Amino acid sequence: MAKPSTRLNVAPVPPDEIFALNGAYGADTHPQKVSLGVGVFRTDDGKPWPLPVVQKAEKELVADDDLFRHEYTTIEGDVPFLRLARDLMFGFEGKDSEEEAKARIASVQTVAGTGANHLGALFLGHHMKPPTVWLSNPSWANHMTIWELADVPRKTYPYYHAATRSFDFDGMMSTLETEAQEGDVVLLHACAHNPTGLDPNKEQWVAIADLCERKNLFPFFDSAYQGFASGSVAEDAWAVRYFFTRKPDMEMCVAQSFSKNFGLYGQRVGAYHYVTNRSSTSLRDVVVNNLCHLIRGEFSMGPRSGCSIVKKVLTNDQLTAEWHQDLQVMSSRIKSMRKALYDELSRLQTPGTWEHIVEQNGMFSYTGLTPKQVYALKDQYHIYLLKSGRASISGLSQKNVAYVAHAIDNVVRNVN
């Protein structure tokens, strides 16, 4: 008889809430069930929507019949793809000193945005050894896990003002001003903050950039929704581009995902960009070299098929134009569902204020519902959202929005 292991020092960890919730939704047989948990785009019929331009690109790739399509790339990834990803994020069109600007950016391919966040945390943890990483409160739950695994001490700055259901800009600035130390990392959501849907305005972004520069903090942007949030890739990258162009003596980095804006959730397409200051461009190749060292020890190189789709689209003017149209379709549907939910709650005269639903941005809404109310929605109405009250607006449709609003109205009135 085999002896039980005495070498492992392990204990159960809580299951990931989003994937556990999605599993519970899948097992539910109720005909009116609604999934407002997982962050994926859905049509008004509740079905996946492979982007039409992605389907075109896939057909063209099949027709190309590239004999090397299943071969290895390089450790840093598909280099032409990385150039396209970099230019999409930082925007160089027609600007003076374009080559000098590009020389500041070290780019490698990653396993989607999660992999970019992880690689960035690991790289900074090894080579910069920040005293602390500052995460917004609340933030994407996986941020905490990623930085914990990188063994970097974690603190949070205020972000959400519960009483007004608004962005707590004053709380954020005050905390970072008084408590953040030189060399700390500050994680910033480039747009469509997850989970609140609340973003700084441009004036506030300018103030955040000034604070990071003055206190010598290191900005780490997580860009998961470029083009998906507003429908404009330039607008959704405004903060990143401002930091890059207006603070050339400040180093920073960006974790870039193509999951949402290309609908390539399972293809795991991403990039990590480390930006040197303008006087240290000679470090770029050394940074890439060290990032490749970490990549080689983890996954050798990024997946090929998804980045080939992105590359096919972004190297063809017609396909690029069609992609921008697809972005408008997705962002417009999200906005229309926000308004539909708000209008229905207003019609029902649901207690409380609900303007935040239409004032927030992107896929998610921080509804303001309490954990008890969230559990009641699941148990009584088979509506699934995170216990924090975060709802994925994409799960709403013209067919279920009235049902969801009625359920919210009921639990707000009856569940404290």
Side-chain angles (χ1 to χ4, degrees), residues 336-364:
S336 70
M337 286 298 97
R338 285 186 180 278
K339 186 175 186 306
L341 179 60
Y342 170 73
D343 287 347
E344 194 64 21
L345 291 171
S346 298
R347 186 187 68 80
L348 294 169
Q349 297 184 333
T350 304
T353 177
W354 300 98
E355 289 84 358
H356 59 284
I357 291 175
V358 290
E359 293 170 352
Q360 293 165 351
N361 182 36
M363 179 172 282
F364 302 113

Side-chain angles (χ1 to χ4, degrees), residues 245-394:
T245 58
R246 299 299 183 90
K247 304 295 181 184
D249 295 318
M250 183 169 65
E251 298 188 27
M252 58 182 278
C253 69
V254 182
Q256 182 182 21
S257 171
F258 290 86
S259 295
K260 304 297 191 296
N261 56 13
F262 271 82
L264 296 172
Y265 307 101
Q267 298 284 10
R268 317 312 293 146
V269 187
Y272 175 74
H273 309 280
Y274 187 97
V275 180
T276 70
N277 63 53
R278 60 182 168 182
S279 62
S280 302
T281 56
S282 61
L283 286 177
R284 181 185 67 172
D285 291 344
V286 178
V287 170
V288 170
N289 172 262
N290 279 270
L291 287 167
C292 286
H293 178 68
L294 296 174
I295 289 170
R296 181 61 170 149
E298 286 208 348
F299 56 92
S300 281
M301 63 199 61
R304 183 162 190 157
S305 61
C307 77
S308 296
I309 293 170
V310 173
K311 188 167 60 173
K312 173 68 74 172
V313 171
L314 295 182
T315 53
N316 181 296
D317 289 344
Q318 178 60 38
L319 292 180
T320 299
E322 292 180 24
W323 176 57
H324 285 289
Q325 293 172 3
D326 290 347
L327 290 173
Q328 287 288 337
V329 169
M330 292 189 288
S331 63
S332 295
R333 196 186 103 69
I334 296 292
K335 292 172 185 176
S336 70
M337 286 298 97
R338 285 186 180 278
K339 186 175 186 306
L341 179 60
Y342 170 73
D343 287 347
E344 194 64 21
L345 291 171
S346 298
R347 186 187 68 80
L348 294 169
Q349 297 184 333
T350 304
T353 177
W354 300 98
E355 289 84 358
H356 59 284
I357 291 175
V358 290
E359 293 170 352
Q360 293 165 351
N361 182 36
M363 179 172 282
F364 302 113
S365 173
Y366 221 50
T367 59
L369 296 170
T370 67
K372 285 185 178 181
Q373 291 167 343
V374 168
Y375 295 140
L377 286 174
K378 179 172 70 72
D379 294 341
Q380 299 176 28
Y381 295 95
H382 303 265
I383 297 171
Y384 292 78
L385 63 159
L386 300 191
K387 64 182 179 182
S388 65
R390 190 208 80 172
S392 177
I393 298 297
S394 183

Side-chain angles (χ1 to χ4, degrees), residues 125-259:
H126 274 71
H127 299 290
M128 199 174 81
K129 300 189 184 305
T132 301
V133 59
W134 290 88
L135 308 175
S136 64
N137 182 21
S139 190
W140 180 44
N142 212 18
H143 282 148
M144 190 66 75
T145 301
I146 286 168
W147 287 91
E148 177 189 354
L149 293 175
D151 199 27
V152 175
R154 299 158 303 285
K155 293 183 181 178
T156 62
Y157 57 84
Y159 195 87
Y160 179 70
H161 192 268
T164 59
R165 299 179 182 180
S166 62
F167 169 45
D168 188 2
F169 174 69
D170 291 339
M172 172 185 179
M173 295 296 285
S174 175
T175 297
L176 292 177
E177 186 70 63
T178 58
E179 298 183 34
Q181 303 297 314
E182 180 176 345
D184 283 355
V185 172
V186 180
L187 197 141
L188 303 165
H189 299 228
C191 67
H193 182 272
N194 178 5
T196 69
L198 297 164
D199 294 330
N201 60 37
K202 291 179 180 178
E203 181 180 349
Q204 291 168 334
W205 274 124
V206 170
I208 294 168
D210 289 344
L211 183 148
C212 288
E213 182 178 47
R214 185 177 67 257
K215 291 184 65 69
N216 198 20
L217 307 178
F218 184 91
F220 189 129
F221 279 99
D222 185 359
S223 178
Y225 303 97
Q226 186 186 3
F228 183 96
S230 69
S232 165
V233 295
E235 185 65 21
D236 290 346
W238 190 92
V240 172
R241 295 179 182 185
Y242 179 86
F243 275 62
F244 176 70
T245 58
R246 299 299 183 90
K247 304 295 181 184
D249 295 318
M250 183 169 65
E251 298 188 27
M252 58 182 278
C253 69
V254 182
Q256 182 182 21
S257 171
F258 290 86
S259 295

Side-chain angles (χ1 to χ4, degrees), residues 55-178:
Q55 296 183 75
K56 281 190 177 182
E58 288 175 317
K59 291 177 181 178
E60 290 191 15
L61 288 168
V62 170
D64 290 344
D65 194 24
D66 179 9
L67 292 178
F68 293 91
R69 64 187 179 273
H70 300 306
E71 295 292 298
Y72 294 124
T73 55
T74 66
I75 297 174
E76 66 188 286
D78 185 311
V79 174
F81 158 75
L82 287 171
R83 293 175 184 145
L84 293 163
R86 174 200 63 194
D87 294 355
L88 183 72
M89 177 55 60
F90 294 94
F92 301 103
E93 300 84 356
K95 294 182 179 178
D96 294 335
S97 304
E98 178 178 330
E99 291 308 312
E100 289 87 345
K102 290 180 178 180
R104 296 175 55 200
I105 305 171
S107 302
V108 293
Q109 190 178 339
T110 63
V111 184
T114 299
N117 274 276
H118 167 68
L119 181 67
L122 197 64
F123 176 73
L124 297 181
H126 274 71
H127 299 290
M128 199 174 81
K129 300 189 184 305
T132 301
V133 59
W134 290 88
L135 308 175
S136 64
N137 182 21
S139 190
W140 180 44
N142 212 18
H143 282 148
M144 190 66 75
T145 301
I146 286 168
W147 287 91
E148 177 189 354
L149 293 175
D151 199 27
V152 175
R154 299 158 303 285
K155 293 183 181 178
T156 62
Y157 57 84
Y159 195 87
Y160 179 70
H161 192 268
T164 59
R165 299 179 182 180
S166 62
F167 169 45
D168 188 2
F169 174 69
D170 291 339
M172 172 185 179
M173 295 296 285
S174 175
T175 297
L176 292 177
E177 186 70 63
T178 58

Side-chain angles (χ1 to χ4, degrees), residues 29-46:
T29 58
H30 194 274
Q32 285 187 287
K33 67 178 182 178
V34 180
S35 174
L36 302 180
V38 66
V40 293
F41 183 80
R42 290 290 182 259
T43 67
D44 202 57
D45 292 325

